[in-house]
Amino acid sequence: SNPVTFSDVGQAQDMLYNGIGYNRNDGYIYGIATKAGEGIQLGEVVRIGSDGSVVGIGLPTNDTGTDLPDKFPAGTVLDDGTLVVGKGSTIVKISGLSESNPQVDEVITLSYADDSLSGSPKFTDFAVHPETGEVYGFEHKSQKIATIDFDNGEVSPVGDESFGRNIIGGAAFFDSNGRFYVYGRSLDGGSSQNTLYTVSLESGQPTELVTGESVSIVDGTSVFATHGND
């Protein structure tokens, strides 16, 4: 048997979502629908309860003049309740979650803070540190953990260590003690995401903890408290 297993919560859905994050302000998980289902449109913001129920709260109002992707692999919720989702180097900030009135506040294009690094950063997931509020993620291009400044879009890889091969880390999350985890491909090869790592926030060194169920698409978030939601 696998040391890491996934347990179903609630009933199976006829839609898919990604780019999820936990909102500590109201106790719900939020994300973006990547496949439409009954009563839920592609690209709609969804609210996920502790019982696994999924409710669409509307397509985000977008007055920025920038066309948005309809699928976002990366996502988190900031301490102020803003859902931040990303695809490639495009980051979108969405407010109004608790009020069921999602609005695009800003669209940001990521770039490296170090001018010596070329190309555009690309994140497969990111998460908020529970103590500092800093955002860390798995940056696919550099194969490193990096911090993201959502005020100016600057990305700073952490330390000198990298994962060393073409890893996809589809799920990134913290525990309540500030330890950072990534679930993704094995360092030994293979196309499935089946390995849980803990990663040093100082050196960037990944340490393989255990293997688990193989998945082709995965996302992750952490729930640190209960708010009695349904």
Side-chain angles (χ1 to χ4, degrees):
S1 62
N2 293 314
V4 174
T5 58
F6 300 107
S7 301
D8 294 336
V9 177
Q11 297 180 343
Q13 305 291 326
D14 64 349
M15 50 81 66
L16 298 175
Y17 54 80
N18 209 335
I20 62 171
Y22 176 67
N23 187 355
R24 283 189 266 179
N25 297 286
D26 64 11
Y28 288 97
I29 292 173
Y30 292 87
I32 304 291
T34 57
K35 177 186 175 184
E38 183 177 355
I40 298 177
Q41 304 175 67
L42 177 67
E44 185 171 358
V45 177
V46 295
R47 176 187 291 142
I48 303 139
S50 58
D51 60 355
S53 60
V54 181
V55 177
I57 63 170
L59 291 167
T61 302
N62 179 18
D63 296 326
T64 65
T66 302
D67 292 334
L68 306 181
D70 55 19
K71 297 182 180 180
F72 295 93
T76 193
V77 175
L78 304 181
D79 290 341
D80 65 0
T82 300
L83 174 65
V84 181
V85 290
K87 180 179 182 180
S89 60
T90 300
I91 297 293
V92 181
K93 295 181 179 180
I94 302 173
S95 64
L97 304 182
S98 297
E99 299 77 22
S100 300
N101 184 31
Q103 307 168 56
V104 175
D105 290 337
E106 190 176 8
V107 180
I108 301 170
T109 300
L110 297 179
S111 61
Y112 291 113
D114 185 347
D115 293 337
S116 67
L117 298 176
S118 60
S120 299
K122 178 192 298 183
F123 286 87
T124 50
D125 203 13
F126 35 65
V128 179
H129 192 292
E131 297 174 357
T132 68
E134 286 187 284
V135 179
Y136 291 80
F138 178 77
E139 203 279 293
H140 181 71
K141 185 173 184 295
S142 67
Q143 290 290 296
K144 289 184 175 184
I145 298 306
T147 60
I148 314 166
D149 187 332
F150 285 136
D151 290 328
N152 57 25
E154 290 189 343
V155 172
S156 302
V158 172
D160 297 323
E161 301 293 335
S162 72
F163 279 67
R165 62 179 299 276
N166 188 28
I167 296 292
I168 293 177
F173 54 94
F174 283 94
D175 66 17
S176 59
N177 295 312
R179 289 186 290 260
F180 188 60
Y181 298 87
V182 171
Y183 196 84
R185 288 178 178 170
S186 168
L187 296 177
D188 296 330
S191 58
S192 295
Q193 299 184 68
N194 66 350
T195 305
L196 179 65
Y197 303 90
T198 184
V199 188
S200 168
L201 299 182
E202 297 179 356
S203 69
Q205 175 69 47
T207 300
E208 184 175 317
L209 294 180
V210 290
T211 57
E213 295 185 39
S214 295
V215 293
S216 58
I217 298 175
V218 64
D219 200 3
T221 190
S222 301
V223 177
F224 299 129
T226 57
H227 292 249
N229 66 61
D230 55 5

